[in-house]
Amino acid sequence: MAGRDLESTAKAIVAKGKGILAADESFPTIKKRFDAINVESCESNRRAYRQLLFTTRGISEFISGVILFDETIRQKADDGTPFVQVLQRQGVLPGIKVDQGAKPLAGAAGEKITEGLDGLRDRLTEYRELGAHFTKWRAVITIGDRIPSQYCIDANAEALARFAVLSQEAGLVPIVEPEVLMDGDHTIQQCFEATAATLHSVFNSLFEHRVMLERMLLKPNMVLSGKACPQQANVEEVARETVRCLGRVVPGAVPGIVFLSGGQSNETATANLNAMNALDEVHPWQLSFSYGRALQDPPLKTWRGNAANIQRAQQAFHHRAKLNGAARYGKYSVEMEREPVAERA
Ligand code: 13P
């Protein structure tokens, strides 16, 4: 794509000390987040909240890109500046979620397939014109009784590869997100196996679909114990097993791996990423973050829909981003959680 170098964009997104803010909650998901703080999910509240995040001063020190939702990429700040421009002025790359959600997979009870391939080529052209530099597609894999099935894994891998090659054709860097959910009582070993099987199938499909691995990013889950598993793996084990799993199946041509937080607490998501980056071993990819909940919990809970709280909410967001920025270097410590939040937002 003329004027666009996808490899440089992919590298810029995983620049040292930086990661992604996932702010691409669909209508049902943002409603769930707003319900938790007693705020109505209407267009003006969603706009006000996203404006709060995007206008936080100094955020580009730790945030390289923001994933937007279809509604958000078309919205403007109070002064009429499109959000895309607000981000660009901050030095942050705008991206866009292009899947249309995970639906029940026919013939596979309890499993899901992500929809959104129909008409995708035209939607990608429009998003590029609106200023997007990268795209995201999330597939959901569930661990349970005799699942995930190979059928579900392969069907999702195929869709991810179709999405990725269409994105590259449109001049957009695809973020390929196969999420093995942490819901359930499975062990970390079961998560390891499901994650390895999923990523193996995903890279097989990406190869068959002629996706250029240098021009994409992978957004996987970390290898964790299921939320309800009585035996919870500690930070060191999660870091070791996650990097061991990725090492087996993720080609070195992929410039970066940007983890989702997936329901981990803010502190745990930061500590796990930090531990991976503090490991001695050498690996070919940058290990970074693309967090939704683990970056937004503090600002959301501070804001609570009240304009008087905006500045404090921005400080909370800036601080969380800063801690994850430190985790990119393996330099985060729990003490940093308690440091006074700078009056800068
Ligand atoms: P979480 O970090 O909240 O899992 O969200 C990341 C994301 O983009 C899910 O698609």
Side-chain angles (χ1 to χ4, degrees):
M1 187 54 52
R4 299 246 181 158
D5 178 347
L6 299 194
E7 213 167 313
S8 314
T9 301
K11 280 194 186 134
I13 295 171
V14 290
K16 288 257 193 278
K18 299 188 191 191
I20 300 171
L21 164 67
D24 59 327
E25 295 83 4
S26 60
F27 291 127
T29 306
I30 195 72
K31 182 175 182 320
K32 222 190 309 175
R33 306 276 182 266
F34 278 12
D35 282 351
I37 54 163
N38 261 319
V39 170
E40 189 200 346
S41 179
C42 56
E43 196 268 344
S44 59
N45 284 342
R46 289 190 295 267
R47 195 186 66 80
Y49 173 61
R50 265 76 181 241
Q51 171 170 275
L52 174 166
L53 296 174
F54 304 161
T55 57
T56 298
R57 271 196 281 146
I59 208 65
S60 67
E61 202 180 335
F62 317 109
I63 301 291
S64 53
V66 173
I67 315 174
L68 304 169
F69 180 58
D70 181 75
E71 176 186 68
T72 326
I73 200 170
R74 303 167 196 283
Q75 283 173 320
K76 297 183 169 102
D78 291 344
D79 67 358
T81 312
F83 278 160
V84 167
Q85 262 182 48
V86 169
L87 292 172
Q88 280 164 343
R89 283 183 195 162
Q90 288 258 45
V92 172
L93 292 169
I96 180 83
K97 180 228 291 295
V98 303
D99 69 70
Q100 294 178 327
K103 309 283 158 61
L105 175 62
E111 299 196 285
K112 291 189 165 168
I113 180 75
T114 301
E115 294 187 347
L117 288 171
D118 286 356
L120 181 57
R121 180 178 266 135
D122 292 340
R123 287 195 290 125
L124 291 172
T125 306
E126 190 196 3
Y127 288 139
R128 196 191 60 229
E129 280 160 10
L130 285 167
H133 287 257
F134 65 96
T135 52
K136 186 198 91 169
W137 179 289
R138 173 175 177 254
V140 176
I141 304 293
T142 309
I143 300 179
D145 185 20
R146 286 192 293 268
I147 59 171
S149 66
Q150 196 62 44
Y151 161 44
C152 172
I153 289 175
D154 292 346
N156 276 292
E158 180 87 7
L160 279 164
R162 292 272 296 121
F163 140 79
V165 75
L166 280 163
S167 293
Q168 291 186 340
E169 178 193 83
L172 296 158
V173 170
I175 299 189
V176 173
E177 181 182 10
E179 174 175 6
V180 176
L181 295 176
M182 64 185 290
D183 302 321
D185 62 359
H186 53 269
T187 61
I188 186 170
Q189 196 51 40
Q190 284 172 287
C191 179
F192 185 109
E193 281 158 23
T195 304
T198 300
L199 294 178
H200 187 255
S201 176
V202 166
F203 279 99
N204 193 38
S205 285
L206 292 171
F207 180 76
E208 283 176 354
H209 286 260
R210 306 173 183 183
V211 173
M212 305 286 284
L213 301 185
E214 298 85 349
R215 303 177 183 175
M216 62 159 276
L217 296 168
L218 178 71
K219 176 164 175 169
N221 52 284
M222 296 179 191
V223 174
L224 306 167
S225 318
K227 254 189 217 157
C229 179
Q231 192 71 40
Q232 288 291 312
N234 64 27
V235 172
E236 284 68 36
E237 198 179 348
V238 167
R240 209 172 354 94
E241 291 302 283
T242 303
V243 172
R244 194 163 71 90
C245 182
L246 297 170
R248 283 194 189 172
V249 282
V250 183
V254 175
I257 293 173
V258 292
F259 293 100
L260 58 95
S261 59
Q264 302 178 68
S265 73
N266 311 327
E267 291 80 2
T268 308
T270 307
N272 284 339
L273 177 65
N274 184 68
M276 283 183 233
N277 280 311
L279 289 172
D280 277 341
E281 59 191 90
V282 183
H283 41 72
W285 352 264
Q286 291 292 315
L287 293 176
S288 184
F289 59 90
S290 175
Y291 292 163
R293 282 162 285 181
L295 274 169
Q296 293 189 49
D297 263 14
L300 198 57
K301 286 181 180 147
T302 310
W303 175 57
R304 295 191 176 276
N306 185 344
N309 297 333
I310 287 174
Q311 195 177 341
R312 280 197 311 118
Q314 289 184 324
Q315 287 162 0
F317 173 48
H318 187 276
H319 187 239
R320 200 72 240 153
K322 181 179 165 190
L323 300 191
N324 284 301
R328 288 281 284 110
Y329 295 105
K331 293 206 157 106
Y332 160 83
S333 67
V334 194
E335 291 68 50
M336 293 168 78
E337 295 286 348
R338 293 188 289 273
E339 72 191 8
V341 173
E343 295 278 333
R344 58 179 303 164

